[in-house]
Amino acid sequence: MNWYTEQWSNDCKFSIAYDKKIYSEQSSFQQINFYQGKEFGTFFTLDGLMMVNEKDEFIYHDMIVHPAFATNPNIKKVLIIGGGDGGTAREVLRYPNVEEVVMAEIDERVFRLCQQYLPVTARGVEEDSRMKLRFEDGLEYVRNAPDQSFDLILVDSTDPVSVGEGLFTKPFYKECYRVLNADGILINQHESPYFAEYAANMKKAHTKIKDIFPITHVYQYHMPTYPSGHWLFGFASKRLDPLKNLNVKAWEQFGLKTKYYNTNLHIGAFGLPNYVKEALNR
Amino acid sequence: MNWYTEQWSNDCKFSIAYDKKIYSEQSSFQQINFYQGKEFGTFFTLDGLMMVNEKDEFIYHDMIVHPAFATNPNIKKVLIIGGGDGGTAREVLRYPNVEEVVMAEIDERVFRLCQQYLPVTARGVEEDSRMKLRFEDGLEYVRNAPDQSFDLILVDSTDPVSVGEGLFTKPFYKECYRVLNADGILINQHESPYFAEYAANMKKAHTKIKDIFPITHVYQYHMPTYPSGHWLFGFASKRLDPLKNLNVKAWEQFGLKTKYYNTNLHIGAFGLPNYVKEALNR
């Protein structure tokens, strides 16, 4: 048996058996590996960290996309930063109201390889006429975008190292604020509260975003293949509150079948454990 | 480095580094091992499965105990089945209203060894005058208990194999129903929805309990050292509903400081993902 192993902390690791390594490439930005196994189907890693697998990608992609649309069902213009596997775009494109989706992914190779090896997330994305693919640095993209040009920004990034680093900085969040319109929402990959290294990144991101956006929340979900299985997204906005403005009726009228998300879970996801709230506010 | 490794499924495993194996014993019932490491402190396993560790025991013990007390703040008589590490009793004993706590633990060695090696959960439990320790089979204990003699039963068991098997059967749940009074609540260790073997146990337990109790719910929490990190408890009762009867004010008046539980999280814990709800109802 071959094992893909990821260190979750110095003293803790998670291993997945795979039948074969399908593909491996050092792109201009990172090491990309694709594996295939029984429990998780096809999965790929960037610089040795699990990104997406066929078994639980639905959890991450439901949770990065649907809470924003249930808070503002009128979202029309969406900017995805990162998200090279295509899963986030796939979920956004299910909303008929959406008119334009820009995906600024720094590494085109991730997207092209997912089109080839991970159709569950990438298939159909490029073909949708509302999609605008920009293979460039997300930070650069927002710097050059006009004021108030998006309703929603989804930061679907790696951890704050390598290509993901700039997406956890105050200048980046400031640019996001500027390009969002008055009802704008920023959702960002917010790391995890449990292992010290990830918790430190969680706190840093939250502190920076709180300085810029008037409304900031953090919400949680069960993502078994990410370290500790307890993973977070940030919800920041200029005006809309994910609980007070939750529009259950409007969201249900979209008639979307989801495997993880529902509007009760939406409310529950914001009910953080005390130790997480304390860490965020410290 | 020494590694304790647990298979979470045939194709997936979780490993924890430890500095030393503190103690090992084959009791009359099971293999008991204690380890000590940096990330998780002291932890112990039964038949090779992680039971309790110093880093995240607070999550499990908060979640098995506090939702019931926030639903019925007048709980006075409590029966704990299993729970040999003492952590569940520790949390129950924090409520001044509680008059009697019976702990029916089949394996006295687990409790004695936790008193010695895991004081964070076991310390002070035996010394509390409200505690009645019964080192006997939990199924036998409830069979012999009088009708309507408890306000709350907490089934703090292992998986449904070996000593835990009888605690996942219909005759056991029927006896629990009988010994609970009209406001009685049954909380049971309810496995996990993510890996197939655990999900099958989750479904079996739920189906059996639904046949006996008029009110049945399942709630979730983030338990990083259990398989997938997505773990469940069952909430069954004769009359009280954990959401409709949630008494936020009364629970907050207890003034208990908790590291995981709060009443917003209580509500959120019942907001299950669609795939879990569908599996439970299938």
Side-chain angles (χ1 to χ4, degrees), chain A residues 9 11-15 17 38-40 55-56 194 221-222 258-262 268 272-275, chain B residues 9 11-15 17 38-40 55-56 194 221-222 230 258-262 268 272-275:
Chain A
S9 77
D11 293 321
C12 182
K13 62 189 183 184
F14 178 70
S15 308
K38 285 181 193 68
E39 181 77 55
F40 297 94
K55 186 177 170 88
D56 66 16
Y194 189 74
Y221 53 103
H222 287 91
T258 45
K259 206 171 152 192
Y260 191 84
Y261 179 83
N262 58 65
L272 299 178
N274 286 346
Y275 89 97
Chain B
S9 77
D11 293 321
C12 181
K13 62 189 183 184
F14 178 70
S15 308
K38 285 181 192 69
E39 180 77 55
F40 298 94
K55 186 178 171 85
D56 66 15
Y194 190 73
Y221 53 103
H222 286 92
H230 191 175
T258 45
K259 205 170 151 192
Y260 191 84
Y261 179 82
N262 59 63
L272 299 178
N274 287 345
Y275 88 98

Side-chain angles (χ1 to χ4, degrees), chain B residues 77-90:
Chain B
K77 294 191 74 181
V78 181
L79 171 62
I80 299 167
I81 308 276
D85 59 85
T88 298
R90 178 196 67 197

Side-chain angles (χ1 to χ4, degrees), chain A residues 27-271:
Chain A
S27 76
S28 311
F29 301 99
Q30 52 207 339
Q31 178 66 42
I32 310 173
N33 293 338
F34 280 79
Y35 304 85
Q36 196 169 60
K38 285 181 193 68
E39 181 77 55
F40 297 94
T42 298
F43 60 98
F44 82 96
T45 64
L46 295 179
D47 290 339
L49 295 174
M50 165 65 80
M51 290 294 120
V52 178
N53 67 77
E54 289 186 298
K55 186 177 170 88
D56 66 16
E57 62 82 15
F58 74 95
I59 299 172
Y60 182 93
H61 293 124
D62 267 18
M63 291 305 281
I64 193 171
V65 170
H66 303 308
F69 280 89
T71 307
N72 178 11
N74 299 313
I75 289 169
K76 290 184 172 57
K77 295 191 73 182
V78 181
L79 170 61
I80 299 168
I81 308 276
D85 59 87
T88 298
R90 178 196 68 197
E91 290 304 308
V92 168
L93 291 167
R94 297 176 74 190
Y95 290 92
N97 292 359
V98 166
E99 293 168 1
E100 184 183 86
V101 185
V102 177
M103 183 169 121
E105 162 61 58
I106 199 168
D107 193 347
E108 181 170 1
R109 292 301 296 151
V110 172
F111 184 65
R112 297 300 169 207
L113 291 169
C114 286
Q115 285 183 307
Q116 191 170 351
Y117 298 114
L118 205 65
V120 67
T121 52
R123 186 173 40 209
V125 166
E126 190 172 24
E127 292 72 19
D128 194 299
S129 61
R130 296 169 292 170
M131 237 10 244
K132 291 192 166 50
L133 294 171
R134 297 280 181 271
F135 296 111
E136 58 179 281
D137 179 18
L139 180 50
E140 271 307 296
Y141 184 88
V142 283
R143 265 195 200 127
N144 297 320
D147 289 2
Q148 307 209 19
S149 49
F150 288 100
D151 302 302
L152 174 63
I153 299 176
L154 302 169
V155 187
D156 182 2
S157 73
T158 56
D159 298 327
V161 286
S162 169
V163 296
E165 200 168 359
L167 305 179
F168 282 78
T169 61
K170 223 160 158 175
F172 171 68
Y173 299 133
K174 270 187 184 159
E175 294 294 337
C176 288
Y177 185 91
R178 184 183 58 76
V179 305
L180 283 169
N181 64 28
D183 282 341
I185 296 170
L186 169 70
I187 304 290
N188 70 308
Q189 197 283 88
H190 213 299
E191 304 281 298
S192 168
Y194 189 74
F195 290 115
E197 192 188 334
Y198 293 95
N201 289 333
M202 167 194 85
K203 282 187 255 187
K204 274 188 229 163
H206 189 63
T207 307
K208 290 171 190 166
I209 294 171
K210 260 204 310 194
D211 276 355
I212 297 165
F213 283 84
I215 294 173
T216 57
H217 291 270
V218 171
Y219 63 98
Q220 65 192 347
Y221 53 103
H222 287 91
M223 189 67 195
T225 51
Y226 285 180
S228 85
H230 191 175
W231 214 260
L232 307 171
F233 284 119
F235 183 111
S237 80
K238 298 185 178 184
R239 194 182 71 79
L240 294 174
D241 184 279
L243 295 174
K244 291 178 200 138
N245 296 103
L246 170 62
N247 193 334
V248 173
K249 206 174 151 196
W251 192 79
E252 279 171 2
Q253 275 172 353
F254 285 119
L256 298 182
K257 193 168 161 45
T258 45
K259 206 171 152 192
Y260 191 84
Y261 179 83
N262 58 65
T263 50
N264 277 334
L265 182 142
H266 174 122
I267 298 164
F270 290 88

